[in-house]
Amino acid sequence: MRYAIRTTVLLTAAAAAATAQEPTISPALGGLADRDTVAAIWFFARSDVSLEAATAAIGRLGGQPRRRSRWLHAVSADLPTSALRAARSRSEFRHLQPVARFRGSPEEPVPAARPLPSPAATSTDSTFGPSGMPIRRLNLVPLTNRNLRGSGVVIAILDTGFETGHPAFASTFVLAQYDFVFDDSVVANESNDHPTASRHGTGVWSLLAANDPGNVIGVAPDAAYVLAKTEDVRSETRVEEDHWVAALEWADSLGATVVSSSLGYLEFDDGFSYAPGDLNGDVAVTTVAADAAAAQGITVVTAAGNRGDGFRTLITPGDGDSVITAGAEDSLGTLAGFSSRGPTADGRLKPDLVAPGVQVFVVDPFTDSGFARVNGTSAATPLLAGAAALIKQLHPTYSPIDILAALRRHADQRILPDSLRGWGRPDVARS
């Protein structure tokens, strides 16, 4: 009898061990096994399993690997849903979850006329032209007067593409560029792109790097730039966070210390999405990767999102605890109606800071004048990234947390921060 009891115990322990080796499954994958389709999935490998072994296991399941992430210790892959059941029993993986889609901006840019030469009230107005409003609102003028323009700082931008040949960027130093959508080195529009794919990225970049006196001058035109085209905006094509993670790790390898990302991820294939409770800083892969970048010394500035009023309208990776999440306000300091709100699922205040994001003047290569006015946290993000770059220029040893603390310390809502404007609009010169 004693032997039989011992055998039962051993069998029960063995069954428990086998169950413990099975990967956990995101609820978003729950119903996919019954559908005849192909799903983009993140396969998180166990700590004792190499990414090479995980990739091989995915291949044996009939999957097509897409990207490997050393920070996430994960592989993204396209997998026939018929193989999901088998994937759930593979001991190489600890967790499976879908790859998310990009959530775009709410409205198209409004074309703006090329400014006509005219007497200016101040030399600042003459130099910055219609792009001067954010410069004044963030109190950047004292820094530009000292010729602080981002020299010595490497800034990476992750976006939809960039028209590097535009005259506004004639003096910009591009350290490296890569298209993660088509796996080539062309970040400008190509023949198989959406006709205006690079519009968003070019406008964002201009707020940092443009140097076109009288029209538009960015916050950090003397910085070196790493340009990553991560978003495929063609409506029939999935736009996925795995490009974003790969680009972030690539930027790290090139010495980037500031990252500007006017992007966000929330929705999955087949209508699934990150649940509000998932925005706790530990679930979304872009969030985990952004926090990993911060641990490497990279200041990541990301958009809060344009999902508007309401409780927890934030998008990922804006829920990261070590990133600077940017909300948007207008030229009078009123929070933009579209600007996403926090807090995070675990109760942290987000966004961290706000910057101008309404009727902001940018380069637009797809208008007759070459300029447009745009709305969105997409505009606020590079402005705050530029502010971070200027602090990094002055204080090269500052960590991402040091930079965030400096900006918060002199923001207009520092006494009573909230989940609408965070700590408010920073006074960058004082920071």
Side-chain angles (χ1 to χ4, degrees):
M1 175 65 78
R2 218 180 301 174
Y3 174 77
I5 292 173
R6 178 174 173 79
T7 301
T8 302
V9 170
L10 288 173
L11 290 173
T12 303
T19 300
Q21 289 296 308
E22 293 181 358
T24 57
I25 305 293
S26 165
L29 284 176
L32 282 182
D34 300 325
R35 306 180 193 179
D36 184 17
T37 185
V38 174
I41 298 172
W42 279 106
F43 293 81
F44 291 83
R46 296 191 183 278
S47 59
D48 59 342
V49 175
S50 70
L51 292 182
E52 290 75 14
T55 302
I58 292 168
R60 288 192 290 273
L61 289 166
Q64 182 63 47
R66 297 166 55 87
R67 301 281 180 189
R68 295 183 190 179
S69 169
R70 67 182 188 279
W71 288 352
L72 300 175
H73 199 57
V75 180
S76 66
D78 293 322
L79 184 76
T81 51
S82 58
L84 264 178
R85 193 177 306 278
R88 292 173 177 176
S89 63
R90 297 293 308 200
S91 62
E92 293 91 347
F93 311 125
R94 64 174 179 82
H95 183 67
L96 308 180
Q97 71 183 56
V99 175
R101 293 175 180 263
F102 168 56
R103 189 178 186 90
S105 56
E107 53 189 89
E108 288 292 305
V110 178
R114 178 178 289 275
L116 297 174
S118 61
T122 68
S123 60
T124 298
D125 292 334
S126 176
T127 301
F128 289 96
S131 70
M133 180 271 289
I135 304 297
R136 291 188 294 271
R137 295 294 295 171
L138 293 167
N139 195 24
L140 287 160
V141 176
L143 302 180
T144 61
N145 288 344
R146 290 177 56 187
N147 203 34
L148 290 167
R149 293 155 54 98
S151 178
V153 181
V154 179
I155 302 174
I157 307 180
L158 281 54
D159 217 289
T160 63
F162 311 89
E163 294 303 317
T164 55
H166 192 283
F169 306 110
S171 63
T172 304
F173 175 52
V174 177
L175 176 64
Q177 60 185 47
Y178 195 78
D179 180 344
F180 286 82
V181 177
F182 298 118
D183 281 317
D184 60 36
S185 60
V186 180
V187 295
N189 265 26
E190 300 182 70
S191 60
N192 50 348
D193 267 318
H194 184 280
T196 60
S198 59
R199 165 179 272 159
H200 186 270
T202 303
V204 164
W205 187 30
S206 70
L207 291 172
L208 279 160
N211 191 19
D212 186 2
N215 292 323
V216 57
I217 293 184
V219 178
D222 289 352
Y225 285 91
V226 171
L227 304 178
K229 178 180 174 181
T230 62
E231 300 308 323
D232 185 346
V233 299
R234 296 173 300 175
S235 60
E236 73 275 12
T237 305
R238 284 197 307 264
V239 181
E240 287 142 347
E241 59 195 358
D242 56 355
H243 296 328
W244 194 95
V245 173
L248 191 60
E249 296 185 21
W250 173 71
D252 172 49
S253 74
L254 293 166
T257 55
V258 176
V259 168
S260 178
S261 172
S262 295
L263 306 170
Y265 301 85
L266 199 71
E267 297 176 343
F268 299 92
D269 291 338
D270 300 305
F272 293 112
S273 66
Y274 285 121
D278 291 334
L279 273 74
N280 60 9
D282 296 322
V283 174
V285 293
T286 54
T287 302
V288 175
D291 283 342
Q296 301 291 323
I298 301 172
T299 298
V300 179
V301 186
T302 188
N306 301 324
R307 299 180 65 225
D309 196 8
F311 184 65
R312 291 180 182 163
T313 58
L314 193 67
I315 59 176
T316 71
D319 59 318
D321 59 13
S322 300
V323 305
I324 298 177
T325 305
E329 64 176 22
D330 64 19
S331 61
L332 300 177
T334 302
L335 184 67
F338 57 76
S339 188
S340 288
R341 279 72 160 164
T344 62
D346 56 332
R348 288 174 288 112
L349 295 183
K350 287 285 181 176
D352 294 286
L353 301 162
V354 294
V358 177
Q359 292 293 291
V360 176
F361 194 81
V362 300
V363 168
D364 185 339
F366 300 99
T367 63
D368 291 339
S369 68
F371 302 97
R373 291 193 179 275
V374 298
N375 298 333
T377 54
S378 288
T381 299
L383 293 169
L384 291 176
L390 298 190
I391 294 175
K392 190 71 175 177
Q393 179 183 357
L394 280 170
H395 304 283
T397 62
Y398 270 24
S399 71
I401 301 303
D402 294 332
I403 291 173
L404 174 56
L407 291 169
R408 284 176 171 177
R409 192 176 300 123
H410 299 290
D412 67 352
Q413 203 164 283
R414 61 190 179 278
I415 302 301
L416 194 63
D418 59 28
S419 59
L420 305 178
R421 297 179 74 247
W423 279 255
R425 182 184 64 257
D427 181 325
V428 183
R430 292 185 67 197
S431 296

